[in-house]
Amino acid sequence: MSLYSARAHAGERIRFLVVGFAWFVTSVSGAAASDTLEGTQHLEADGDLAAQMVAGIDRFLLREIEESDAKREKFWHRDLSSPEAYAKSIAPQRARLAHILGVRDERVEDAAPELIRKLGPAPAATIGLSEIMPERIRWAAFGDVHGEGLLIAPRDGEPVADIILIPDADQSPEQLVGPWTKTTDPEYVKFFRSAGCRVLIPALVSRELRTHRHATMTNREFVYRAAFEMGRHIVGYEVQKVLAAVDWMERDSQGTRKIAVVGYGEGGLIALCAAALDERIDAVVVAGYFDDRNNVWSQPVSRNIFGLLEQFGDAELATMVLPRPLIIDTVQGPELELKTQGGAPGKLVSPDPKRVKAEIERAKRLVEGLDPASLQLFEENASDRTYYESSAKLLTTLGIDVPPAPLGGGISTGTPPDELAVAAARQQRQIHELDRHNQWLLRESPYIRREFMAKLDTNSREKYAASAEPYRKFFREQVIGEFDRPLLPPRPRSRKVYDEEKWTGYEVMLDVFPDVFAYGILLLPKNLPEGEQRPVVVCQHGLEGRPTDCIVGDHRAYHDFAAKLCERGFVVFAPQNPYIGHDAFRTLQRKANPLGKTLFSIIVPQHQQIVDWLQTLPNVDPNRIGFYGLSYGGKTAMRVPALVTDYALSICSADFGDWIWKNASTRSTYSYIGTGEYEIYEFDLGNTFNYSEMAALIAPRPFMVERGHFDGVQPDETVAYEFAKVRNLYQARLGIGERTEIEFFAGPHTINGQGTFDFLHRHLCWPAP
């Protein structure tokens, strides 16, 4: 049950009625002449209240991140009595990790590696590895997607173990085979090969920058964007490729050969997740990655895993590998900074050894009773040290004789000129296959959503309302995300800011959560009869907007629609939503996502507090509060009324359409894939709620779409396609076709204020002038 859907619960209703009675001993009309609304404190705050709102939410989210470690244990029920019991007890966490990583596509069965080309021996004088002849291979992973990389056989005889050596995203497999620069000589692969191991080096999607339409982003972010919307992830895709290799390695040896993974940087992330999910991996080395994960929001967005910190930090992932050997190496990790060029900003800093130690100690405390020796730390201060020593520990744990120490002293950073074109072509194949898979998921998604929503019962309105509640709960908790805390008492503050001929305006501020407040402007028609209860229209601005944009100045998108509605006799409230400040608000989404939350996890309770407060006003009819939002306010119109059921109706202007297509298509010029809205993606939305499914949560309340033919958000056909499903629900299945409509008008991305005004008058039961 939601903690902030207050109007659905009698206790909360009584609280607000009592407080409202105490505040409003006289009518609002009588208070209109005052600089402060009767029953409210004077609003003292000054400066940019929108920026202060964003800053407060930022503090709130950072605090939630810091507190996430302590909140995780409620999800875990570890049985440490035996390794078998332990593995069984953490099965729910393995399922959850697979879900948030998007490891859900069936892997190809009985696939074997295919030889692409056998690389000839390089001149011994050039690289010192003339006896190594890597095979360039690929292997089927899932769908039409393949892993690709280099396979190196042991020097003599059958392999004693299989090693999957996963490089960082900005290293090619070739760089780990030979020192292609004059300054490095890492005989790293030779080390494993000399020990009798077969080595597979998979290629990862790189962080190389690419421009897609209007945005420059890394290759990883390009794949991440559509995948995230479709409930998949670039990390999950690469984990799947590794596990597909484990499949054929296990089949090849009939389970008699040990399999280990070694990962550096991004490869460390892949190795840790793969081993956490799959017990067939016998041992793991994670180098240059393991850390306190609370700063993941500041790293490249391709590491943004929805809900990660809710149940998992690196310590928790480590416990999922144990009691199998896990070796953490504090070798310096990759470092880089990505500036905003349409893609998301991000920064990688090598893990601080002190934080690494602390995270390892936390992991050990979580599993006291399991073999503590299975979790080992290898630490050395030399910044140029490679991770050979930790790999020698790995061989020891596998029972393999350790060969002499390798001669090299660093990781290669170059690729031979004749291999550059080959590596670039492989990179493009990897990107193309994953993009093709994302687009296949997009095409399949309407069928997945139809199956997902199949339990809606439209045989009667009562049955429909009951059957919709589990979907509302899912939408609230799994898609939008809900903070497990009650709303604060609102402590309303106000001050008069407008005194116009027909209406008076007050700035209003309400507390929501610690450091989080709701803010907006309340417009009251003048000469309100005492005791008369009027309908309210909540008028919501769009991206980078402010309440004033909806009231004065004849903004080209809003045309003072809030003031015009007040002049028609409605009480109006224009809230400030926190999507303002460019990267300042976009990073709020980055901070919310690892907690399993979104920006709307804040906006929904803000609106619940607003509606709860509005319902206490003596000149407001608590049952006639409607919502009308444009653009990002239209996004709000689809999500907030679906959850804040006190809204009696919703109007979505200049945003409605095939939202999943708009987010995930890499073909359409309307898509967000090629724009700077890197925060816009909502995890797994493609398999659950498009706009017609969100409208199903608004039903049977009235719902309307306002659509300009020349609006560049989407074309008419995708808007009409998505609305046809809404119309079918209301008209054909529920028999309430009069409660939904769409108005097309010859105009751009703007409020038209014709059919929508009529809709408000009709459904909020207020006579038109």
Side-chain angles (χ1 to χ4, degrees), residues 141-164:
F142 55 91
D144 294 328
V145 175
H146 296 80
E148 287 197 46
L150 299 181
L151 184 66
I152 300 98
R155 184 170 56 191
D156 301 306
E158 288 293 311
V160 298
D162 280 313
I163 306 291
I164 303 176

Side-chain angles (χ1 to χ4, degrees), residues 192-484:
F192 282 123
R193 185 171 180 265
S194 298
C197 300
R198 180 173 61 173
V199 180
L200 172 67
I201 312 175
L204 301 188
V205 174
S206 76
R207 301 188 197 95
E208 181 182 3
L209 294 175
R210 61 180 289 153
T211 299
H212 184 74
R213 289 179 56 227
H214 309 298
T216 299
M217 67 192 78
T218 66
N219 287 333
R220 295 185 72 78
E221 182 176 351
F222 174 75
V223 174
Y224 155 87
R225 288 189 172 198
F228 195 80
E229 191 79 6
M230 304 312 302
R232 306 303 196 275
H233 203 285
I234 177 67
V235 172
Y237 283 155
E238 292 179 330
V239 166
Q240 284 277 65
K241 291 182 182 184
V242 169
L243 297 184
V246 171
D247 291 342
W248 57 258
M249 287 175 173
E250 182 187 44
R251 192 168 54 249
D252 182 50
S253 71
Q254 296 183 338
T256 61
R257 198 158 54 227
K258 295 289 183 71
I259 300 173
V261 291
V262 178
Y264 169 72
E266 212 73 10
L269 165 60
I270 307 303
L272 183 60
C273 290
L277 289 175
D278 199 323
E279 293 183 272
R280 296 176 301 167
I281 295 172
D282 295 293
V284 190
V285 174
V286 175
Y289 172 77
F290 196 86
D291 201 351
D292 179 336
R293 204 49 54 192
N294 285 355
N295 65 345
V296 67
W297 64 267
S298 67
Q299 297 175 359
V301 73
S302 55
R303 288 187 176 184
N304 179 44
I305 298 170
F306 188 75
L308 177 71
L309 297 182
E310 192 173 34
Q311 296 192 33
F312 309 102
D314 282 8
E316 283 79 10
L317 293 178
T319 67
M320 296 171 70
V321 177
L322 304 179
R324 291 166 290 154
L326 171 59
I327 300 167
I328 306 300
D329 194 330
T330 61
V331 64
Q332 182 173 340
E335 297 192 338
L336 62 91
E337 184 170 5
L338 298 170
K339 302 290 187 180
T340 302
Q341 303 178 64
K347 189 174 184 178
L348 286 182
V349 177
S350 186
D352 182 340
K354 292 181 180 179
R355 288 201 312 268
V356 176
K357 281 184 177 179
E359 193 72 1
I360 288 175
E361 290 305 312
R362 193 168 71 83
K364 289 181 177 179
R365 289 194 299 271
L366 292 173
V367 289
E368 283 188 85
L370 287 182
D371 179 9
S374 60
L375 177 56
Q376 302 181 50
L377 170 67
F378 189 89
E379 181 181 15
E380 189 172 314
N381 293 326
S383 61
D384 62 346
R385 182 183 60 81
T386 60
Y387 40 102
Y388 299 118
E389 294 91 339
S390 57
S391 296
K393 284 179 177 281
L394 173 69
L395 294 180
T396 300
T397 65
L398 295 175
I400 299 171
D401 292 336
V402 178
L407 302 177
I411 300 290
S412 177
T413 57
T415 302
D418 60 336
E419 296 294 333
L420 285 173
V422 174
R426 178 181 59 214
Q427 183 71 200
Q428 289 307 308
R429 284 195 302 273
Q430 296 283 284
I431 296 168
H432 173 72
E433 285 188 351
L434 292 175
D435 178 43
R436 182 174 62 195
H437 187 72
N438 285 340
Q439 299 310 296
W440 175 78
L441 293 171
L442 174 60
R443 292 192 300 274
E444 288 293 304
S445 66
Y447 308 103
I448 303 298
R449 292 192 302 273
R450 184 181 303 167
E451 182 178 350
F452 173 72
M453 299 294 289
K455 293 182 180 179
L456 280 177
D457 188 343
T458 57
N459 287 310
S460 71
R461 295 183 197 177
E462 293 75 17
K463 290 180 178 179
Y464 182 81
S467 66
E469 284 310 306
Y471 289 102
R472 197 183 322 279
K473 184 176 188 292
F474 185 97
F475 187 58
R476 184 189 301 278
E477 296 177 358
Q478 302 300 320
V479 177
I480 298 299
E482 179 181 39
F483 286 104
D484 185 17

Side-chain angles (χ1 to χ4, degrees), residues 161-180:
D162 280 313
I163 306 291
I164 303 176
L165 177 58
I166 313 173
D168 181 55
D170 287 336
Q171 292 175 320
S172 71
E174 287 79 9
Q175 287 173 251
L176 296 187
V177 170
W180 305 108

Side-chain angles (χ1 to χ4, degrees), residues 686-716:
N687 297 307
T688 53
F689 294 92
N690 204 339
Y691 273 8
S692 61
E693 287 82 19
M694 294 183 201
L697 298 183
I698 296 171
R701 291 167 288 162
F703 172 71
M704 183 177 179
V705 172
E706 184 176 48
R707 162 69 190 176
H709 284 301
F710 306 119
D711 191 331
V713 169
Q714 293 200 31
D716 281 349

